[in-house]
Amino acid sequence: MTLRVGVVGGGQLARMMIAPAVELGVELRVLAEEEGMAASLAATAVGDYRDADTVLAFARDVDVLTFDHEHVPQDVLASLVEAGVAVHPGPDALRFAQDKLLMRARLEELGMPQPDWAAVTDSEQLQAFIDEHGGRAVVKTPRGGYDGKGVRVVSAGTEAEDWFTTLAEDARGGALLVEELVDFTRELAQQVARRPSGDVRAYPVVETVQRNGVCAEVVAPAPHSGERLQEVAARIGVSIAEGLDVTGMLAVELFETTDERLLVNELAMRPHNSGHWSQDGAVTSQFEQHLRAVLDLPLGDTDPVTEWAVMVNILGGPAEDALDARFAAAMSEHPQAKVHTYGKAPRPGRKVGHVNVIGQDLDDVAYQARAAASFFLD
Ligand code: ADP
């Protein structure tokens, strides 16, 4: 009998599960937000993921329900579980990826290394935290942030007044998250896959480079990462996956500090941009692994297939940009680059694809990946 996986969300992460689903002989169904999204190449229904009846109707036809994003509300998730739907990751894990304040509190209980933090409900409390942390701090909206939206470096308590006002109007009430401004040397990401039956596997830790709050490049494995760093990162990833009962793929974004500590920045419970390299650079890609994990199938090997993989994101330009011509030019000039397209209309700054290059010489691999991606720059 063919297993069916339902994915809520029709973005590029759902799209990139399609090819491995075919290889695994799994039927993939997608509940997309609208017509013509990135995952429209799969059997796709369109509906509102915030509506319990819509999601329940979609889930009736699948063996396992999983996600392309973390925004399905807790009450919708609860009704799915109540109706007997196998939801992976489950609501009790997902809430820590949905709310950064809950995440900080839980990671503290688990003894995970993280920046100093506090929940603040007004500008006086924020000012007090800033004063205690060298005059600057990072304020975050606990819910709904992505790609740096909802993150602000501040040096005065009044600089988050607009967010406090919005929170005051939110029926759920609550607080903002404030963190010390970490003096990091670089950002890393650790991915881990975990099955409902408990089996876990860690990928090599990778370096992520952000530009304007958006992931620009990933190098796998992270250069200059000795055995100790790799072990510490993997241990953090596995401890969080187990401690939070995560099923499927987990990405842990990390800061490496000047004194060589690793601090947890944030979590994603789904395939993640930091793992796109694995499509061409690892024995088992994160998308295949996610499907295996949520279906409770044996996990695949996470080893790299060669020394280095570099992923460069392709960000869209003007709406009238002829992306297909650019993709063709990049592929023609750089046959060794694997160009992954998301089928999205371009918009300035929007992720419309990425390039993976693998090989033995890091400088050459990085050069090739950047050169192929540069076909999308003006
Ligand atoms: P998002 O959910 O929008 O991805 P993040 O919490 O990952 O937001 O923050 C986005 C970026 O802001 C991070 O990749 C990092 O570069 C910077 N940042 C976030 N928190 C801190 C911090 N406490 N100290 C220093 N920089 C930070």
Side-chain angles (χ1 to χ4, degrees), residues 237-261:
V238 169
S239 303
I240 294 176
E242 290 176 341
L244 270 47
D245 195 17
V246 179
T247 42
M249 287 297 303
L250 165 73
V252 182
E253 295 181 14
L254 297 160
F255 298 127
E256 186 178 25
T257 62
T258 38
D259 54 354
E260 290 185 351
R261 287 181 312 141

Side-chain angles (χ1 to χ4, degrees), residues 11-220:
Q12 65 263 27
L13 301 179
R15 176 186 176 100
M16 290 187 274
M17 291 180 208
I18 300 171
V22 171
E23 289 170 5
L24 291 169
V26 168
E27 190 179 323
L28 200 75
R29 299 203 173 178
V30 173
L31 178 63
E33 293 82 335
E34 56 191 36
E35 298 287 350
M37 289 190 67
S40 60
L41 297 173
T44 298
V46 172
D48 185 354
Y49 61 80
R50 293 163 303 187
D51 179 63
D53 291 338
T54 304
V55 185
L56 268 170
F58 171 74
R60 262 184 240 297
D61 287 336
V62 301
D63 296 289
V64 173
L65 195 76
T66 189
F67 309 94
D68 158 284
H69 59 69
E70 286 122 351
H71 308 312
V72 179
Q74 280 289 326
D75 57 334
V76 175
L77 296 170
S79 30
L80 289 164
V81 171
E82 205 170 298
V85 178
V87 180
H88 293 294
D92 289 343
L94 264 178
R95 65 197 173 105
F96 298 112
Q98 292 176 328
D99 187 316
K100 289 178 182 175
L101 271 172
L102 285 182
M103 173 196 76
R104 286 280 175 241
R106 183 73 183 114
L107 292 184
E108 192 163 292
E109 283 172 9
L110 291 174
M112 291 294 114
Q114 53 179 350
D116 267 354
W117 67 279
V120 287
T121 51
D122 59 41
S123 44
E124 286 76 35
Q125 289 180 5
L126 176 56
Q127 186 64 55
F129 186 94
I130 294 169
D131 293 342
E132 284 161 23
H133 292 84
R136 294 214 293 171
V138 182
V139 192
K140 300 184 179 184
T141 52
R143 290 181 286 259
Y146 67 96
D147 284 351
K149 297 175 182 64
V151 175
R152 201 179 277 172
V153 178
V154 295
S155 48
T158 48
E159 287 175 50
E161 212 60 79
D162 51 334
W163 286 351
F164 284 123
T165 309
T166 312
L167 270 190
E169 289 160 3
D170 188 332
R172 292 172 296 187
L176 294 178
L177 168 64
V178 57
E179 299 174 356
E180 68 174 297
L181 179 66
V182 177
D183 183 17
F184 59 81
T185 46
R186 58 178 179 166
E187 295 188 63
L188 303 173
Q190 174 66 53
Q191 287 195 299
V192 170
R194 182 167 176 272
R195 290 170 65 173
S197 55
D199 194 17
V200 282
R201 273 183 194 246
Y203 279 82
V205 65
V206 302
E207 179 171 348
T208 64
V209 180
Q210 334 284 324
R211 274 182 220 121
N212 306 321
V214 180
C215 174
E217 266 184 45
V218 172
V219 182

